[in-house]
Amino acid sequence: MTRPAPDPATDPATDPGPTAADGDDTSFPLARTCPFTPPDDYAGMRERADLTRARIPSGKRPWLVTRHEDVRAALSHPAASSDARNPAFPALGDGEQVVAAELRPFIRMDPPDHTLVRRMLVGEFTVRRVRAMRPAIEAVCAEQVEYLLSRPAPADLVADYANRVSTTVICRLLGVPLEDLEFFRRITSISGSRDSTEEEVGAALGELFGLIDRLIDDKAKDPRDDLISRLATGPLARGEITRHSLLSQIGITLNAGHETSRNMIPLAALALLEHPEQLELLREDPQLWPGAVDELLRYLSVADVITLRVATEDIPLSSGTIPAGDGYIALLGAANHDPGAFPEPGRLDVRRTQRNHVAFGYGTHQCVGQNLGRLEIEIALRTLFDRVPTLRSELALADLPARSSSAIFGLDEVPVSW
Ligand code: HEM
């Protein structure tokens, strides 16, 4: 076990910036060479005897954790802090840290604050509750696939299907009225982009919060069967959460639930089109679908770089110790493609039976919406391939524009015909 050299620049405020000694730092985030697989350099990092140090756009130098066992250990360690108010927090976008520190969405909180909020939400996403949403999700997908088919070919699988499915499902869950959907779609494309400046993110979130604020008032007076109504008449009415925090928690749930599915659905559809023998297996035996969704989540690992942390104490890992006070990124894609955990990780195999992937993270912050995410992806893909059996991509993989500006990997556009 090799311990990384002690770092004098643990506090970014006093970090002198690039020096000759920093020459070996890996510039991060790295681009994917194939839209399906995490960056090639992760393989080398996993095999190195020690941890890799990155330099991210803010100039900070977090450690990169890449092995499957290390990623799980680094995310479940009690000293793993998600608190974005810590100056060492390795946010990738300029606006992200300021906004997260101010709004304090629970994805960027530590226990016990995190625990209180998570408890309020977890009941909304139980297997039972999500299962009850199946008919509604099927109806949304059926409607949106007809919309796709109504477009002149080539249509865009992202804008004309996946984005419409994911925004409609999450807005229904929360109780955002359909007439606010377009507004919501516009705002999330700004707030979810790493290219957006701090001012742009701030303005977009201000507008989004205006909408949620109004909905909280409406639903407190006239509650319906939706998440915002339950939180407004429950924890908010009882004084268990402030209005400011409630706004943030609804905002992050909207965003996290929308952006991930929006990016996963087209990428997963493409992956199956590129592996027709796997799609054929699913056509022959639809019972394989739930397992296939987990395999696609592992294989594509769209939330690869979302798991940003600061070590509040030394965190020992097989590849070295993250020193107390340092930021680190637990790379989910690197873990999900670790050959030590998944034989032939670069092979898409819908019959793979292992379920220990970390596409939804691991530990305290493991995705609260994972049951919904799985179901939504499954129904969206099944509906698409059942209704459009002749679906084909119009562009070669290498020509598809990657959406590198978002914290969640995806493609900007996927032109398809049928
Ligand atoms: C569909 C694919 C999805 C993927 C790959 C995904 C991935 C993730 C990951 C990796 C985390 C952990 C972040 C961390 O540890 O810092 C997370 C957390 C979270 N996700 Fe998801 N997610 C998905 C779907 C959803 C959906 C559908 C919702 C809500 C409707 C959702 C809401 C959340 C929330 C609120 C958190 C924060 C949980 C916490 O901090 O305790 N996600 N997600």
Side-chain angles (χ1 to χ4, degrees):
M1 186 156 77
T2 316
R3 188 187 158 98
D7 173 32
T10 48
D11 179 354
T14 56
D15 186 345
T19 66
D22 299 337
D24 287 342
D25 290 353
T26 298
S27 178
F28 193 85
L30 295 158
R32 293 186 179 206
T33 46
C34 164
F36 300 149
T37 31
D40 299 338
D41 287 353
Y42 288 1
M45 292 181 198
R46 255 188 328 256
E47 281 153 24
R48 277 179 56 160
D50 50 9
L51 289 163
T52 301
R53 187 133 230 205
R55 178 169 292 281
I56 58 177
S58 61
K60 291 179 197 173
R61 301 167 60 229
W63 301 102
L64 299 179
V65 182
T66 50
R67 295 181 193 164
H68 185 262
E69 60 171 306
D70 283 352
V71 163
R72 300 219 298 188
L75 290 175
S76 55
H77 197 282
S81 168
S82 292
D83 192 338
R85 295 172 303 179
N86 188 327
F89 186 79
L92 295 176
D94 273 348
E96 188 188 334
Q97 181 148 8
V98 179
V99 171
E102 154 67 18
L103 297 179
R104 306 208 61 220
F106 72 115
I107 197 169
R108 302 301 186 213
M109 273 183 187
D110 290 336
D113 297 352
H114 169 264
T115 322
L116 284 175
V117 178
R118 185 150 171 138
R119 268 200 210 125
M120 288 175 195
L121 281 169
V122 80
E124 300 290 332
F125 299 100
T126 57
V127 174
R128 216 171 112 243
R129 198 176 276 255
V130 167
R131 210 178 275 148
M133 290 175 68
R134 180 179 271 273
I137 300 175
E138 283 172 348
V140 168
C141 293
E143 191 184 327
Q144 296 308 333
V145 83
E146 295 310 323
Y147 178 85
L148 175 79
L149 292 171
S150 75
R151 310 291 297 163
D156 179 9
L157 202 52
V158 180
D160 297 329
Y161 186 62
N163 193 45
R164 299 178 65 87
V165 166
S166 72
T167 45
T168 315
V169 169
I170 194 71
C171 286
R172 278 195 179 206
L173 172 85
L174 271 83
V176 177
L178 289 183
E179 62 265 26
D180 292 319
L181 255 175
E182 280 310 324
F183 167 82
F184 171 68
R185 286 177 184 144
R186 185 174 60 78
I187 291 300
T188 45
S189 72
I190 301 171
S191 61
S193 170
R194 245 191 259 147
D195 287 342
S196 303
T197 61
E198 199 178 312
E199 289 74 31
E200 286 166 340
V201 173
L205 289 176
E207 285 193 65
L208 179 63
F209 280 22
L211 167 67
I212 303 173
D213 207 28
R214 173 167 60 73
L215 291 176
I216 293 174
D217 280 340
D218 292 352
K219 287 166 192 294
K221 284 185 225 126
D222 181 16
R224 304 285 165 95
D225 181 17
D226 60 54
L227 187 147
I228 299 183
S229 294
R230 280 187 285 275
L231 292 178
T233 55
L236 182 68
R238 291 194 296 269
E240 292 161 12
I241 189 168
T242 64
R243 195 171 179 105
H244 178 269
S245 179
L246 183 61
L247 279 168
S248 296
Q249 311 322 332
I250 295 172
I252 185 64
T253 307
L254 264 170
N255 226 344
H258 148 67
E259 179 86 358
T260 42
S261 315
R262 171 215 176 273
N263 288 5
M264 255 309 281
I265 295 165
L267 208 54
L270 263 184
L272 289 172
L273 288 175
E274 288 285 321
H275 296 84
E277 76 296 344
Q278 299 293 313
L279 186 54
E280 201 42 46
L281 287 172
L282 291 165
R283 286 197 161 119
E284 281 163 12
D285 182 4
Q287 297 211 6
L288 290 175
W289 267 110
V293 168
D294 267 291
E295 169 66 350
L296 286 159
L297 282 157
R298 177 198 73 79
Y299 181 66
L300 300 168
S301 293
V302 294
D304 180 28
V305 298
I306 205 173
T307 31
L308 314 171
R309 299 288 190 272
V310 176
T312 56
E313 292 164 20
D314 283 5
I315 299 184
L317 302 172
S318 79
S319 46
T321 295
I322 304 170
D326 278 11
Y328 62 94
I329 308 177
L331 295 172
L332 303 180
N336 282 338
H337 283 254
D338 184 342
F342 303 96
E344 290 188 77
R347 193 164 62 86
L348 177 69
D349 176 4
V350 297
R351 286 186 292 197
R352 203 183 280 271
T353 48
Q354 266 174 290
R355 292 288 169 265
N356 55 341
H357 69 73
V358 289
F360 288 117
Y362 195 72
T364 325
H365 290 270
Q366 195 182 52
C367 182
V368 76
Q370 59 183 283
N371 296 324
L372 176 61
R374 283 192 176 93
L375 187 67
E376 189 178 338
I377 293 164
E378 180 187 329
I379 297 173
L381 292 174
R382 285 179 77 159
T383 310
L384 183 66
F385 286 115
D386 285 354
R387 178 70 180 91
V388 199
T390 54
L391 187 77
R392 61 175 192 280
S393 171
E394 280 295 300
L395 290 180
L397 270 190
D399 297 330
L400 289 165
R403 197 164 188 261
S404 55
S405 63
S406 163
I408 307 291
F409 180 80
L411 298 164
D412 266 333
E413 214 185 321
V414 178
V416 289
S417 297
W418 46 88

